[in-house]
Amino acid sequence: MFQINSINPWVWKAHPEVWVLVIAVSILGFWAVKVIGPKVVDPGQKVISKRQKITFIVATVLLFVSADWPLHDIAEDHLYSAHMLQHLLITFIIPPLFLLSIPMWLANLLVVSDTFSSQIIRKLSHPVVAGVIFNALVALTHWSGFVQFSADSGIFHYTIHVLLFITALLMWLPVVSPIPELRLSLPGQMFYLFLMSIIPTVPAAWLTFAEGTVYNHYDDGYQMWGISVQSDQQAAGLIMKLLGGFYLWGIIVFKFYIFAREHTRNQNMKTISTRN
């Protein structure tokens, strides 16, 4: 009874590092819109659209939910499937939402300006570079020794989450960059997302079909909701493959719809032009 109570995930735990991060993001967003925007945007034009404002708020709330209690504590100590869900949020859901919330004028200040940081962002956001860095880090986070060290060191765990988020931002730039010049063509985006959906199948299949305990850290004798260690591993693999894969394929289908609609419209315009 003592062991179960001592590792009870429903006992509230404070995560001030998460609060500082979320508050900092909120302050930066407010400062950009209220202080920088009016100085850059032409009079009469909106600093930020209602859609961008809502997207930013949703992304910030999801960032808080994914990184704070109880999801963080369950993911870190009890269920690797929750850990996978957490990583799905901070790599596939939240980064593109933040990118979609960035107005053009702010993106131009960050990337188009001739500064060292903007040059680094442009180089690291190249589709090949961003895709390789992101997937290499994701693959590394599935190594058992890496998972154990991450569980033993809170600072290391926090740092890895920040790095995952940053590399995910770079990975998503070729698809949802606020600057059109940094985005791939629609066919290029579809192929790029297809590759992003194929690569994770390797660790996902490994987790789904692994026999025995892959991560000893999660074999603590406390079966949350009656979920065994092996069932938890299989669920983690399915979350990575099915949820992550279907999410990316949903975006691919949406991109294909846009591409087909634009192609049909262009063909109709050419036909009308030829007749005239």
Side-chain angles (χ1 to χ4, degrees), residues 4 7-8 17 22 54 58 77 82 105 107 111 139 171 206 227 247:
I4 292 178
I7 59 176
N8 185 0
E17 71 282 1
V22 173
I54 293 174
V58 171
D77 295 323
W105 60 264
V111 181
M171 184 272 286
W206 174 57
I227 301 175
Y247 172 75

Side-chain angles (χ1 to χ4, degrees), residues 9-26:
W10 301 114
V11 175
W12 181 80
K13 294 180 182 179
H15 298 289
E17 71 282 1
V18 175
W19 305 340
V20 170
L21 175 63
V22 173
I23 292 173
V25 169
S26 302

Side-chain angles (χ1 to χ4, degrees), residues 265-276:
R265 184 172 55 198
N266 292 335
Q267 289 297 110
N268 291 338
M269 291 180 63
K270 287 182 181 180
T271 301
I272 294 173
S273 177
T274 302
R275 289 177 179 176
N276 294 335

